[in-house]
Amino acid sequence: MAAIWAGIDAGKAHHHCVAIDESGRRLLSRRVANDEPELLELLALGDEVTWGIDLADGGAALAIALLVNRDQPVHYISGRAIHRASESYRGEGKTDAKDAAVIADQVRVRRDLHPLRAGDDTVIDLKILTGRRMDLVADRTRTVNRLRAQFTGIFPGLERALDLTNTGPLTLLTGYQTPAAIRRIGVKRLETWLRNRHVVRPDRLAETAVQAAERQHTSLPGEKLVATLVHTLAKEVMSLNQQVAELDKAIEARFRDHHTFEVITSMPGLGVILGAEFLAATGGDMTAFGTADRLASFGGVAPVPRDSGKLSGNLRRPQRYNRRLQRVFYTSALFSIRHCEESRRFYDRKRAEGKRHTQAVLALARRRVNVLWALLRYEPAPPARAAA
């Protein structure tokens, strides 16, 4: 049977599939519901079909699982790559059918697309957990910013003195938000109130709050309403802190189940959370990248050349890379500078060469990718489980 290439433009409720032969002739163009019976009908195209899809999870998860479970080769092509490639095809319009045809043709002619494989259960769980953690941290940051904005409007002196990401100051704001209220309770009673709520160093916090209250005797407009909002927002931040802490415990427990846990966390700067995010971003299978250079490029820590004519050796930061993985590499390199003498010496050497702080950290991150690659590439596979 002749080879066939099929492209799927994925959506939440429906997908559009276009199949072409080796000459690019369209064999099929069909809109199918995102349901198992209709998706299984597409497998009737044959066993010599190479698939391409523009999503790697979400609404495309069912289609990908059906294809992977039946040993059908599936390749991922990003939406940005499809948009750029579509400019070289006839017509200016954009439709699901055209996007699916572009995907099919790109899979037919390109050899650099990432294959999608069946994921490790632990890695899949870590991807879900770390994704949820990122959402919670983003929500917490937004809520803290709102809290600061509201609190500054009625009590700017105390807002400057408090770290509103810590439990102690947040606990204070759940009970007392205005200068007058803090002056009335006084240092001793406020200290007792904080101690009863298990705040660390309640004496220092109470003294700081009362000193700020003594410097402001003016009641600002809307103070009563804003004080209620500050109370609510402080409660929300404390709740988000608790959720993040519980999620961190779940991430660590699941991460410990993976056979690369000891290897990844042995790298200075790569703790439990960053290590789990590394697994979630890469899948933990280094054979999918081929070389350490490709892993570094995927993570955005390898510069790309921009030469033209007589210009050579012109390097710049890449534009297409995994932002999440770059954050893991960059942040872990920053931590390693503080805790690893070898990393510190490398960073200092790059700074002495005239590189800026960010450039020196990225250079260190690139060097660390080689080390991590070598450790994981030759990590022995976990032993096979005995049959029950």
Side-chain angles (χ1 to χ4, degrees):
M1 182 178 179
I4 297 175
W5 291 266
I8 298 177
D9 181 59
K12 290 190 296 184
H14 294 83
H15 308 317
H16 199 102
C17 178
V18 169
I20 61 175
D21 60 15
E22 59 185 6
S23 65
R25 183 171 61 92
R26 188 172 298 190
L27 304 176
L28 170 75
S29 179
R30 189 200 306 176
R31 187 171 183 256
V32 297
N34 191 13
D35 293 317
E36 186 168 338
E38 293 201 28
L39 292 172
L40 286 175
E41 290 182 11
L42 289 178
L43 298 181
L45 287 172
D47 296 330
E48 298 296 326
V49 182
T50 302
W51 300 83
I53 196 163
D54 62 343
L55 288 176
D57 50 22
L62 178 58
I64 293 171
L66 292 174
L67 293 171
V68 170
N69 291 342
R70 287 159 178 78
D71 296 325
Q72 296 277 336
V74 189
H75 298 271
Y76 168 71
I77 178 169
S78 68
R80 178 182 292 183
I82 297 168
H83 176 71
R84 290 179 175 176
S86 64
E87 296 177 356
S88 61
Y89 290 81
R90 185 189 310 174
E92 296 183 3
K94 181 189 182 304
T95 64
D96 293 343
K98 180 180 179 181
D99 288 345
V102 171
I103 294 171
D105 197 48
Q106 288 294 296
V107 173
R108 180 177 68 91
V109 299
R110 291 181 59 172
R111 298 294 180 267
D112 61 338
L113 298 178
H114 288 288
L116 297 177
R117 306 176 183 180
D120 181 279
D121 289 341
T122 303
V123 173
I124 293 174
D125 289 348
L126 287 176
K127 185 175 182 179
I128 296 171
L129 290 171
T130 55
R132 174 59 177 162
R133 187 182 189 276
M134 290 177 65
D135 291 340
L136 288 176
V137 170
D139 290 342
R140 181 175 62 185
T141 301
R142 285 191 291 268
T143 307
V144 169
N145 289 338
R146 295 189 190 105
L147 174 58
R148 289 189 180 281
Q150 294 289 347
F151 194 38
T152 302
I154 62 171
F155 202 167
L158 187 55
E159 189 277 332
R160 289 194 305 270
L162 299 182
D163 183 355
L164 297 182
T165 61
N166 290 337
T167 302
L170 292 170
T171 303
L172 170 65
L173 295 185
T174 61
Y176 303 93
Q177 304 85 27
T178 64
I182 292 177
R183 283 196 304 271
R184 281 195 302 268
I185 190 173
V187 174
K188 291 300 181 182
R189 286 195 297 163
L190 182 57
E191 178 183 342
T192 302
W193 187 87
L194 292 170
R195 181 176 288 108
N196 291 338
R197 285 154 181 79
H198 310 290
V199 172
V200 178
R201 300 300 300 272
D203 53 341
R204 179 181 296 180
L205 180 57
E207 186 177 351
T208 299
V210 172
Q211 286 178 355
E214 292 293 346
R215 291 194 298 269
Q216 180 178 329
H217 290 264
T218 302
S219 178
L220 299 180
E223 182 179 79
K224 185 175 180 180
L225 178 58
V226 173
T228 303
L229 294 177
V230 168
H231 166 84
T232 302
L233 290 171
K235 285 279 192 181
E236 290 181 9
V237 176
M238 292 177 67
S239 175
L240 288 168
N241 283 340
Q242 181 64 29
Q243 292 180 60
V244 171
E246 293 174 356
L247 205 54
D248 286 349
K249 294 179 181 178
I251 290 172
E252 180 174 1
R254 199 68 182 102
F255 187 17
R256 287 183 179 276
D257 292 338
H258 201 269
H259 68 279
T260 62
F261 173 80
E262 297 293 342
V263 174
I264 293 176
T265 55
S266 68
M267 283 279 293
L270 264 180
V272 171
I273 301 302
L274 289 177
E277 290 186 0
F278 169 79
L279 273 185
T282 62
D285 183 9
M286 296 298 101
T287 60
F289 297 96
T291 65
D293 293 339
R294 290 193 64 183
L295 175 62
S297 178
F298 181 69
V301 294
V304 295
R306 192 173 186 178
D307 299 340
S308 179
K310 297 181 179 180
L311 295 177
S312 61
N314 185 21
L315 301 176
R316 64 172 177 84
R317 293 182 64 181
Q319 295 181 347
R320 292 181 293 172
Y321 57 89
N322 187 298
R323 265 66 178 173
R324 185 177 182 183
L325 186 58
Q326 188 198 55
R327 188 181 68 83
V328 171
F329 287 152
Y330 187 89
T331 306
S332 65
L334 275 178
F335 288 152
S336 72
I337 293 173
R338 303 176 189 174
H339 305 291
C340 177
E341 288 296 330
E342 195 170 332
S343 296
R344 184 74 204 188
R345 287 196 297 270
F346 183 91
Y347 171 82
D348 290 340
R349 186 168 73 249
K350 291 299 177 181
R351 292 286 283 166
E353 293 173 1
K355 295 188 180 297
R356 297 189 301 273
H357 168 73
T358 301
Q359 292 175 320
V361 175
L362 286 172
L364 174 60
R366 175 65 186 89
R367 177 66 60 88
R368 285 164 51 85
V369 169
N370 290 341
V371 178
L372 185 59
W373 163 267
L375 291 173
L376 292 175
R377 187 66 177 85
Y378 300 106
E379 168 71 7
R385 296 182 179 178

